[in-house]
Amino acid sequence: DARVDWAEPAAAVDRRIRACTPGPGAWSTYDGERIKLGPVAAEPDVALVPGTLEVRKNAVLVGTGTHAVRLGDVKAFGKKQMPAADWARGTRVETGAVFGGE
């Protein structure tokens, strides 16, 4: 129940993440590994395909069924919790990558 379905509307994604935080922790997968997700913020002026990431210098946006959301903190397996932009730089995530695309 804590797995994020990026095809849902942005408001539903936000509610799911808030409802599952701190435990059990909302999550999605990237490159076959589970990524726990912290709070998100709406980006109503940005439209992306559901689950697709747009990496910016200080933010990571993810497409939903309606409009994009900006990721807050993420926690990759075996790593500490960190801001999404730092995770993207360290993992070398590029714009166009997809959450859940194993």
Side-chain angles (χ1 to χ4, degrees):
D1 288 341
R3 184 176 188 153
V4 175
D5 179 0
W6 297 107
E8 291 183 334
V13 169
D14 177 45
R15 283 193 303 269
R16 178 177 308 277
I17 291 172
R18 283 189 288 124
C20 295
T21 303
W27 60 277
S28 191
T29 57
Y30 178 76
D31 198 24
E33 301 225 354
R34 188 179 285 204
I35 306 291
K36 285 195 174 185
L37 305 169
V40 296
E43 291 285 336
D45 297 334
V46 180
L48 295 169
V49 174
T52 303
L53 292 120
E54 180 180 310
V55 180
R56 296 180 176 178
K57 184 175 180 177
N58 293 314
V60 177
L61 307 180
V62 184
T64 67
T66 52
H67 55 76
V69 293
R70 184 178 63 246
L71 294 179
D73 291 337
V74 300
K75 183 184 182 308
F77 181 77
K79 304 281 185 177
K80 63 179 182 164
Q81 187 169 326
M82 65 185 76
D86 293 344
W87 165 77
R89 274 191 296 278
T91 309
R92 299 178 192 254
V93 177
E94 295 185 13
T95 295
V98 178
F99 266 143
E102 276 79 30

